[in-house]
Amino acid sequence: MRLASIYRYPVKGLSPEALEFADLDADGYFPGDRVFALENGPSGFDPAAPEHQPKVKFLMLMRNGALAGLATRYDHASGVLTIAREGREVARGDLRSAEGRAAIETFLTGFLGDEIRGPVRLLQAPEGFRFTDSKSGFVSLVNLASVKAIEEAQGAAVDPLRFRANLYIDGAERWAEADWPGKTFQLGGATLTVLKMTDRCAATGVEPGSGRRDMDLVQTIRKAFGHIDCGVYARIERGGRVTRGDALALV
């Protein structure tokens, strides 16, 4: 088994960024992942006392599929988020400033129209917290062989990015990850312990890059395999660098 690709999602619900490597910290979250979220009306989130909030309180693909039609890029050094649509830049803002955040919020409010429930507000996660879908969402892994099985059941091409994982694994047997919870793996310089399977929602029905809702993969997985899972969540037991091509091996 090998690490085929690495992704982070700086802003919850917006587009992924491919990486060649990532430096993982013990007991931490995936670096640069889900650092920001876009509140869709007041969520009750308190940065001074952060608690996990249901994803429905934020802009996200399950309900706001058009977000997948936007190409975003966040520069961690400058703090600037850029948003492009159909190859043209449509918004830019320095997320460290009130003006920059307002530029992003204003664009998304207009872009999503009637899907906005209340003021859009860009939130930044305080140290030690992230806007993951699950409280166990430290690092997410997807087995590409299982995606292939879903693709065959669907009868159409399925982009693995529909599953919005951090680490995509090649070379495993189909659904091998169902036996991974509780097991520990070595990946590059890091050690990961798998916590649980990842249950899927309607966000997987949105085509990356276009924002079209063209499939019901939850029903496809349920009917073909008797569950709605694809991928796993893991905890970082020992930190270290992981690089595309690294072997994944049971400890």
Side-chain angles (χ1 to χ4, degrees), residues 60 67 69 75 105 112 118-119 141 145-146 150 153 159 165 168 190 193 199 215 218 223-224 226-227 242-243 251:
M60 42 84 182
L67 292 174
D75 185 320
E105 294 161 354
L112 292 173
L141 299 86
S146 298
I150 295 168
D159 188 335
Y168 288 88
T193 295
D199 59 296
M215 297 180 180
V218 174
K223 290 178 181 178
H227 58 77
V242 298
T243 304
V251 175

Side-chain angles (χ1 to χ4, degrees), residues 22-42:
D23 293 318
L24 308 185
D25 292 331
D27 294 322
Y29 290 93
F30 191 85
D33 192 59
R34 276 84 172 185
V35 176
F36 301 97
L38 291 150
E39 192 179 53
N40 190 5

Side-chain angles (χ1 to χ4, degrees), residues 4-89:
S5 54
I6 308 172
Y7 290 91
R8 68 183 176 197
Y9 303 79
V11 184
K12 184 180 184 69
L14 299 185
S15 62
E17 297 181 359
L19 304 172
E20 286 297 314
F21 65 88
D23 293 318
L24 308 185
D25 292 331
D27 294 322
Y29 290 93
F30 191 85
D33 192 59
R34 276 84 172 185
V35 176
F36 301 97
L38 291 150
E39 192 179 53
N40 190 5
S43 69
F45 178 76
D46 180 359
E51 294 184 359
H52 185 267
Q53 302 282 337
K55 61 186 175 183
V56 294
K57 294 189 177 183
F58 306 103
L59 296 181
M60 42 84 182
L61 294 181
M62 187 175 78
R63 291 188 175 175
N64 313 114
L67 292 174
L70 301 174
T72 60
R73 175 66 57 179
Y74 178 65
D75 185 320
H76 285 259
S78 68
V80 172
L81 176 70
T82 56
I83 304 178
R85 185 182 185 193
E86 298 177 348
R88 182 177 64 87
E89 185 177 305

